[in-house]
Amino acid sequence: MSTPAPVLTAAPTRKKVTTLTFRQKKERGEPISMLTAYDYPTALAMDQAGVDSILVGDSLAMVVLGYENTLPVTMDEMLHHARAVARGAKSALLVGDMPFMSYQVSVEDAVRNAGRFLKEAGMDAVKLEGGHERADAVRAITSAGIPVMGHIGLTPQSIHQLGGFRAQGKTARAAKRLLEDALILEEAGCFSLVLESVPARLARLISERLSIPTIGIGAGAGCDGQVLVAHDLLGLFDRFTPKFVKQYANLNGEMTRAFNEYIADVQSRAFPAAEHTVEMVDEEWDSLLKEL
Ligand code: KIV
């Protein structure tokens, strides 16, 4: 008989990371680590590895659900995955990403949907995309006691307006607008701000001008923290790998290798072997044969 696999448990072994921890880390100059996750085992592994924060990103739409972009994912799908992540991660600060059209139509919608991430899915905070045009929503959500992470630069929910997945803030004028947006979002109450695909020196400047921590993705080393989409880091997303991603594993290759081996084993009858099989004791088998 083979030894049963160990049961995965989410035992909290370190102090819970909070929005206050984020601010203290910035004050101490300690980089903040953040990753996306969409399921229980990944969240468990990240939490055990000691990541500061987990984002249940709307990148779910692309890397898990196979859509072309992030627009189709719904509130209910986001909540379903957020609940799985919350079951796996007990110490990291958990951030639920508000999907397209869950906060753009009205401030009331924004507060209601943000509340669902905390009330129904165990998230600690929410993230939403956009600059000055989101200030009212940020004020209303934070007034309800819900921490908000902003997100400016390349905002994937606006790809049709931006003309595709393209770097932002490359001209002096566009860079000034991003800095202004960052200051407005800080003033509106965001506890942190994602800077996606913006020039490194602009991201450093914004990080220096804000008292809240910035979390960069494709924004260079001058941010207060970094976030990556887990599937990019693990080599699990087949369609493209953005230039700013460092790939730490090739799990797609590893999965294909394992599946190929399994198929070959089934075809050659090498699997299942005796150790994968339950058998009757000889006496019971003999007595069955006598009765037949
Ligand atoms: O949805 C997501 O994964 C994100 C990160 C890229 C920041 O918003």
Side-chain angles (χ1 to χ4, degrees):
M1 274 261 303
S2 62
T3 325
V7 176
L8 297 175
T9 51
T13 52
R14 60 190 169 111
K15 247 179 100 186
K16 175 78 185 167
V17 178
T18 66
T19 56
L20 179 65
T21 322
F22 261 48
R23 189 173 276 254
Q24 288 168 337
K25 282 202 151 207
K26 172 159 181 141
E27 283 162 8
R28 292 197 294 258
E30 288 173 23
I32 297 165
S33 58
M34 187 179 206
L35 283 168
T36 67
Y38 319 95
D39 59 45
Y40 171 84
T42 313
L44 178 61
M46 284 175 184
D47 207 44
Q48 286 175 340
V51 76
D52 290 314
S53 181
I54 296 178
L55 170 68
V56 185
D58 65 351
S59 46
L60 165 73
M62 296 173 73
V63 300
V64 174
L65 303 180
Y67 289 116
E68 277 300 305
N69 56 49
T70 60
L71 305 188
V73 74
T74 65
M75 260 311 287
D76 285 340
E77 286 167 332
M78 290 300 301
L79 292 172
H80 175 76
H81 286 267
R83 280 192 282 269
V85 167
R87 282 181 216 118
K90 300 299 173 199
S91 299
L93 178 83
L94 303 181
V95 182
D97 206 4
M98 298 195 66
F100 183 54
M101 283 298 124
S102 69
Y103 57 96
Q104 288 92 339
V105 176
S106 71
V107 165
E108 288 74 20
D109 263 8
V111 177
R112 195 174 305 110
N113 285 320
R116 293 188 70 193
F117 273 107
L118 274 69
K119 212 172 157 68
E120 299 176 34
M123 297 290 101
D124 303 311
V126 297
K127 175 171 87 57
L128 52 77
E129 296 181 7
H132 60 279
E133 71 281 9
R134 298 289 160 242
D136 286 345
V138 172
R139 270 189 214 101
I141 297 170
T142 52
S143 299
I146 301 168
V148 180
M149 176 176 272
H151 181 162
I152 59 171
L154 169 54
T155 45
Q157 292 177 16
S158 311
I159 46 160
H160 295 306
Q161 201 170 35
L162 300 176
F165 292 100
R166 327 154 62 92
Q168 300 295 307
K170 288 168 78 174
T171 64
R173 209 161 140 228
K176 185 161 176 277
R177 270 204 307 268
L178 280 179
L179 173 60
E180 285 163 2
D181 278 343
L183 291 165
I184 289 169
L185 288 168
E186 171 172 65
E187 191 278 326
C190 283
F191 75 94
S192 178
L193 185 62
V194 169
L195 301 176
E196 179 165 354
S197 288
V198 299
R201 47 184 158 185
L202 172 62
R204 184 180 294 278
L205 176 81
I206 293 176
S207 306
E208 285 166 0
R209 296 282 173 96
L210 297 185
S211 57
I212 57 171
T214 58
I215 308 293
I217 174 161
C223 296
D224 301 302
Q226 299 292 328
V227 60
L228 278 181
V229 171
H231 286 56
D232 289 337
L233 170 157
L234 294 172
L236 261 179
F237 185 56
D238 57 314
R239 252 184 285 148
F240 58 86
T241 306
K243 177 179 176 296
F244 54 75
V245 167
K246 179 171 175 187
Q247 201 172 304
Y248 289 81
N250 175 12
L251 293 198
N252 192 290
E254 185 55 18
M255 278 166 61
T256 307
R257 185 204 56 74
F259 298 146
N260 281 334
E261 219 174 290
Y262 165 75
I263 293 163
D265 275 1
V266 169
Q267 285 170 346
S268 68
R269 300 188 189 280
F271 176 83
E275 67 266 29
H276 310 119
T277 308
V278 178
E279 203 41 284
M280 280 169 90
V281 293
D282 289 347
E283 298 80 51
E284 294 298 329
W285 181 244
D286 293 342
S287 126
L288 170 69
L289 291 183
K290 269 187 219 137
E291 283 179 34
L292 295 179

